[in-house]
Amino acid sequence: MNTVTQVLNNSLTPQISDRLSKNFNRHLKERVIEFILMLAAFSAVLTTAAIMGILLYESYGFFEHVSISDFLTDTVWTPLFENPRYGILPLVSGTLTVTGVALLIAVPIGTISAIYLSEFASHRVRETVKPILELLAGVPSIEFGFFALLFITPLLQKIIPGLPTFNMLSSGIVIGIMIIPYIASLSEDAMRAVPMSMREGSYAMGATRFQTAIRVVTPAAVSGIVAAYILGISRAIGETMVVAIAAGQQPNLTFNPMDAAATITAYIVQVAMGDLPHGSIGYQSIFAAGLVLMLMTLTLNIIGHITRKKYSERY
């Protein structure tokens, strides 16, 4: 009897395989791998913190010589002149104008493209068009800059006589073309994530495919669409080569897209390629301008996060 009981107890006791038993070497390797994965996960955070630290450190030296009030309110930006003035408003106006023109091009075309790919295109068309559309995002920005200067600007000059060679309109149009893939692709992904049951319910109530796409799918995917818009805006604000080549490099406080003007990124490129000594006030001005650009992008991302959180739908 005791033998039978012992056999039953042994059979009921879980047996741990040697491969699954605790092993110091395997445990150490797993911890090392977890640590590497954690570093990879926090690399973006650490990089952002490092960028902010550098900008703040270098900008501190700039603001020791220039008051913040003059920097934010002065309407003239001539840091490289004999009598320098450091008003950031001309660079900000150029950046916002180019970004505004780009959004007027990218938001309607990108959103319409996303609706078509998500709701109307066949599987074969979607699988063909979307990779081609995303491939547009891989074209070097300097190529877009020459495209704006040598093709878009002459074309616009035929339509708008007197348009200068360097202008913000052509730059904004080309940047808008650049960010269409970001808006279209991310918006299409957000729309495809909407459950099919919502579409079927709309069809059951007599709605057409167009009505379903506009009144059901798009509102349900609004959080993802807003995220696509924010990414597109950030990409437009931070674009460098297109505006440096086609928009001009003369700071000009104007919101007229047909004028030439410099953006924040164009000025940074202009000074970074010069011969200003490290630590000079002119050299430090690029970090102050970069800090403004970083804060603009950070503000947009915060607004986007709040909007996504407010309108996010969970299915």
Side-chain angles (χ1 to χ4, degrees):
M1 186 67 178
N2 292 335
T3 303
V4 174
T5 304
Q6 185 177 2
V7 171
L8 289 174
N9 290 335
N10 291 337
S11 63
L12 294 175
T13 302
Q15 300 295 322
I16 300 177
S17 172
D18 293 336
R19 295 178 59 187
L20 300 178
S21 61
K22 187 173 181 179
N23 183 283
F24 177 78
N25 291 332
R26 186 178 67 236
H27 182 73
L28 179 61
K29 291 179 181 178
E30 290 177 352
R31 292 300 181 186
V32 171
I33 292 173
E34 289 178 6
F35 180 74
I36 294 174
L37 294 176
M38 184 189 68
L39 289 180
F42 283 96
S43 60
V45 178
L46 296 175
T47 302
T48 304
I51 292 173
M52 286 296 298
I54 293 172
L55 291 176
L56 291 172
Y57 177 78
E58 294 289 346
S59 298
Y60 178 78
F62 173 82
F63 288 115
E64 284 183 336
H65 301 86
V66 180
S67 66
I68 297 180
S69 61
D70 290 341
F71 179 74
L72 296 177
T73 59
D74 196 353
T75 59
V76 179
W77 179 262
T78 54
L80 306 181
F81 285 24
E82 184 177 354
N83 296 316
R85 293 177 64 177
Y86 302 96
I88 195 66
L89 289 180
L91 298 182
V92 172
S93 68
T95 301
L96 295 179
T97 302
V98 171
T99 303
V101 174
L103 293 179
L104 289 177
I105 300 296
V107 168
I109 297 177
T111 306
I112 293 173
S113 300
I115 293 174
Y116 170 74
L117 292 175
S118 174
E119 304 302 314
F120 296 96
S122 64
H123 177 76
R124 183 176 180 180
V125 172
R126 185 186 303 112
E127 295 302 319
T128 303
V129 173
K130 190 173 181 180
I132 296 175
L133 187 65
E134 293 175 345
L135 188 63
L136 190 65
V139 178
S141 60
I142 192 169
E143 306 294 343
F144 281 106
F146 287 118
F147 175 70
L149 181 63
L150 302 177
F151 180 80
I152 298 297
T153 297
L155 185 63
L156 291 175
Q157 287 174 335
K158 294 179 180 179
I159 302 173
I160 309 174
L163 184 71
T165 302
F166 299 101
N167 60 86
M168 294 183 287
L169 182 59
S170 61
S171 302
I173 291 174
V174 172
I175 292 175
I177 295 173
M178 288 179 60
I179 64 177
I180 285 175
Y182 297 94
I183 295 177
S185 181
L186 293 178
S187 298
E188 193 266 344
D189 291 339
M191 293 177 183
R192 295 277 292 173
V194 176
M196 185 58 66
S197 58
M198 296 186 66
R199 297 177 175 86
E200 293 172 348
S202 177
Y203 297 148
M205 297 183 68
T208 63
R209 293 180 67 182
F210 181 77
Q211 291 173 330
T212 301
I214 299 299
R215 299 182 181 180
V216 177
V217 177
T218 301
V222 67
S223 61
I225 296 174
V226 169
Y229 291 166
I230 295 299
L231 179 62
I233 295 172
S234 300
R235 181 71 176 84
I237 289 177
E239 175 51 40
T240 303
M241 295 311 300
V242 174
V243 291
I245 293 174
Q249 297 187 355
Q250 181 61 40
N252 186 16
L253 182 57
T254 178
F255 290 97
N256 184 358
M258 291 183 288
D259 292 337
T263 63
I264 295 176
T265 53
Y267 170 75
I268 293 174
V269 170
Q270 178 186 3
V271 174
M273 295 176 62
D275 298 325
L276 290 177
H278 180 80
S280 64
I281 185 66
Y283 180 81
Q284 289 176 333
S285 66
I286 67 175
F287 293 97
L291 181 61
V292 172
L293 188 66
M294 186 76 175
L295 292 176
M296 291 172 63
T297 306
L298 180 63
T299 302
L300 285 172
N301 281 275
I302 292 174
I303 294 174
H305 175 73
I306 294 173
T307 305
R308 290 195 305 270
K309 187 175 181 180
K310 182 177 180 180
Y311 295 103
S312 178
E313 297 286 348
R314 298 184 183 275
Y315 304 106

